[in-house]
Amino acid sequence: MSFAWNTQGLVDCSGLFVLDQKDRKFRTMGCFVEDSTHIKNWSVEAGYGNFDLDARWKYIGINDLYTWTVNFKKHLDMGYASVQTDYRHINFRLDVSSLPFYVASTNWYTLDSILFAGVTYGRGELDLLDVKWVSASKLSIIPKIEGSFEDEFHFSRFTAGSRTGVHTINVGYTRGETDPDVDRKGYVFSDSSRFWEIEPSYSYNEGPNSFSLLYSYLNADLNVFGLLREGSSEKRFFFLPVGVDMNMVKADFRHSTAESPKRTSAFSARAIYMQLELALLWDDRRFYETLAPNRGLTSSIIKTLSFSVYNRSFRLYGDADIKLVDAGAGYEWDKGIGSWRIKPSFFVDVFYTHAEADLRKRTETTNALYAEHFTDTLSWDVSVVGAVASAGVALESPKHFFAGLDVSQIVPFYYSKEQYPPQETPAPPPPEDQPSTEPSGPETSEESDNVSNVNRFFKLFRNGFAINAKMGVKF
């Protein structure tokens, strides 16, 4: 329970930029303005958020027929509010946003917190992405596909734990489902999924030292699909069932150096290990193909083509395994300049990630007279070593004002990619006024391919950085 009343307002803006303006781009920015007020045993928060995502990936094939670009964009304006009330052994909280989305939760605890438990329930709708696929060929019968990724979801979470002295043990269990959007027309992307997660954790806090250890296991069955809805007609042209298993262990340590009762510098360190396993399941039923382009044809295109007896579809199946190891350390200074406080900080993470994928692509062709299929093997083995360097500074006035700025830079050290079958790179076309001196077929060079892969990877992060700025007042 707080004293009489107090309030705090905050403006927080963040951005992540990975720039390669020619073939690939990833940019996301978000700003959030919020205010909170505490009156006796009541607390109220309200805010407004603005989020922008702009990502592009261009795939360059052997010619325009096999070259395409996919764009992911999203602009989101969101208002949200929450209210919480605290009593002697229990509290209640309700969060509501304009997505629409709401979360209701309650927590029970003993006065000495030897035992505590909580229940949370959430339900809402997500409009995640606007997707646009464009073919580079002017002869393509599907020159462009535009749609949105939407679904509805609900989840329940249960927590229980115990605090004895400086030790705290907590266990959380979450279970949820997503359901597809049923109202939007045109091209629609959605999913029907089931997931559950368990999170046991331990924390230690005594004097200048604090330590926490978290383990998380996530299991999910995802069914991602794309539909074309026109009037009363609904055709599914994309379907991908994926099984997900994720294990993560995270450890954090912090040691504070007391310089005065109000000023404290601190050393912090962390380590993360994560393993993600993906299984793309085989399903040979009709309409469960990974991609069936003919079903993505609109009625206007079908009328133009009159009648088609040729169909080609694709099924993708296999598995992938991704491992990530990250370790970092940093220091935060807390210095006084007159009655103001300035907090510069520096943190460096070193990471290693390794990904293996062993996939099969089955191509199925049918017409009025016969049906045939053949299967390609697609395998990748990718390793990346790098670092993320972060620097920041925070400034606080004696009473009301605080501000902060943090900048992070991705620094890749090593990149390796092996692919089977080896990727063929077509010879570049000669200038228009010069006859070709190159062989007519595609050329492959393992050394040149490796160099080009490394150059393309490092180019992605050459100008890549993340930034976070915040400013607020409290009184």
Side-chain angles (χ1 to χ4, degrees), residues 180-304:
D181 175 86
V182 296
D183 297 325
R184 183 182 288 268
K185 299 297 183 180
Y187 291 105
V188 178
F189 298 90
S190 192
D191 74 295
S192 177
S193 307
R194 307 290 182 269
F195 63 90
W196 63 272
E197 180 187 31
I198 187 168
E199 285 184 340
S201 65
Y202 165 79
S203 63
Y204 168 89
N205 195 335
E206 183 179 23
N209 298 315
S210 63
F211 172 78
S212 65
L213 182 64
L214 168 72
Y215 170 73
S216 176
Y217 173 75
L218 171 68
N219 178 274
D221 293 317
L222 312 178
N223 295 287
V224 186
F225 52 84
L227 303 174
L228 173 60
R229 292 196 182 111
E230 294 180 299
S232 59
S233 171
E234 179 177 286
K235 296 181 290 184
R236 181 162 64 191
F237 62 89
F238 173 78
F239 179 75
L240 188 64
V242 184
V244 179
D245 277 288
M246 187 194 76
N247 290 274
M248 184 185 73
V249 179
K250 180 181 179 183
D252 288 277
F253 173 77
R254 182 178 178 90
H255 173 74
S256 300
T257 305
E259 298 178 352
S260 74
K262 295 184 178 180
R263 296 192 179 115
T264 304
S265 299
F267 166 81
S268 58
R270 67 185 176 208
I272 300 173
Y273 171 78
M274 183 180 73
Q275 181 177 9
L276 179 65
E277 297 180 355
L278 304 176
L280 278 65
L281 308 179
W282 166 260
D283 197 322
D284 60 357
R285 289 177 292 175
R286 181 165 170 78
F287 303 115
Y288 284 77
E289 297 90 345
T290 303
L291 182 63
N294 288 51
R295 296 190 206 120
L297 298 175
T298 63
S299 57
S300 60
I301 294 177
I302 293 176
K303 290 178 181 178
T304 302

Side-chain angles (χ1 to χ4, degrees), residues 55 69-74 127-134 144-150 187-190 237:
T69 302
V70 60
N71 292 271
F72 303 97
K73 291 188 176 184
K74 190 62 192 175
D127 185 353
L128 293 177
L129 287 173
D130 297 323
V131 183
K132 181 178 178 181
W133 179 91
V134 180
K144 181 172 64 175
I145 292 177
E146 287 187 274
S148 294
F149 192 102
E150 296 183 357
Y187 291 105
V188 178
F189 298 90
S190 192
F237 62 89

Side-chain angles (χ1 to χ4, degrees), residues 287-331:
F287 303 115
Y288 284 77
E289 297 90 345
T290 303
L291 182 63
N294 288 51
R295 296 190 206 120
L297 298 175
T298 63
S299 57
S300 60
I301 294 177
I302 293 176
K303 290 178 181 178
T304 302
L305 296 177
S306 182
F307 180 73
S308 175
V309 296
Y310 177 80
N311 289 273
R312 172 168 287 183
S313 59
F314 307 89
R315 299 181 192 270
L316 192 66
Y317 61 99
D319 54 72
D321 182 79
I322 303 170
K323 295 182 177 68
L324 170 68
V325 179
D326 178 279
Y331 198 84

Side-chain angles (χ1 to χ4, degrees), residues 80-229:
Y80 58 93
S82 68
V83 58
Q84 178 175 318
T85 180
D86 298 280
Y87 297 98
R88 185 174 178 84
H89 293 285
I90 195 169
N91 66 33
F92 300 94
R93 181 183 176 100
L94 178 64
D95 295 83
V96 180
S97 80
S98 60
L99 286 176
F101 169 57
Y102 75 86
V103 177
S105 60
T106 180
N107 292 277
W108 172 87
Y109 46 88
T110 60
L111 291 181
D112 51 9
S113 294
I114 291 180
L115 296 174
F116 57 87
V119 179
T120 300
Y121 178 77
R123 175 178 287 274
E125 298 178 6
L126 288 179
D127 185 353
L128 293 177
L129 287 173
D130 297 323
V131 183
K132 181 178 178 181
W133 179 91
V134 180
S135 171
S137 172
K138 297 180 180 178
L139 301 176
S140 175
I141 59 174
I142 310 180
K144 181 172 64 175
I145 292 177
E146 287 187 274
S148 294
F149 192 102
E150 296 183 357
D151 61 21
E152 302 174 353
F153 70 96
H154 61 90
F155 71 92
S156 302
R157 179 172 176 81
F158 307 91
T159 59
S162 174
R163 182 178 296 113
T164 56
V166 297
H167 306 279
T168 302
I169 298 175
N170 189 26
V171 178
Y173 175 76
T174 304
R175 189 175 189 89
E177 299 180 357
T178 65
D179 297 307
D181 175 86
V182 296
D183 297 325
R184 183 182 288 268
K185 299 297 183 180
Y187 291 105
V188 178
F189 298 90
S190 192
D191 74 295
S192 177
S193 307
R194 307 290 182 269
F195 63 90
W196 63 272
E197 180 187 31
I198 187 168
E199 285 184 340
S201 65
Y202 165 79
S203 63
Y204 168 89
N205 195 335
E206 183 179 23
N209 298 315
S210 63
F211 172 78
S212 65
L213 182 64
L214 168 72
Y215 170 73
S216 176
Y217 173 75
L218 171 68
N219 178 274
D221 293 317
L222 312 178
N223 295 287
V224 186
F225 52 84
L227 303 174
L228 173 60
R229 292 196 182 111

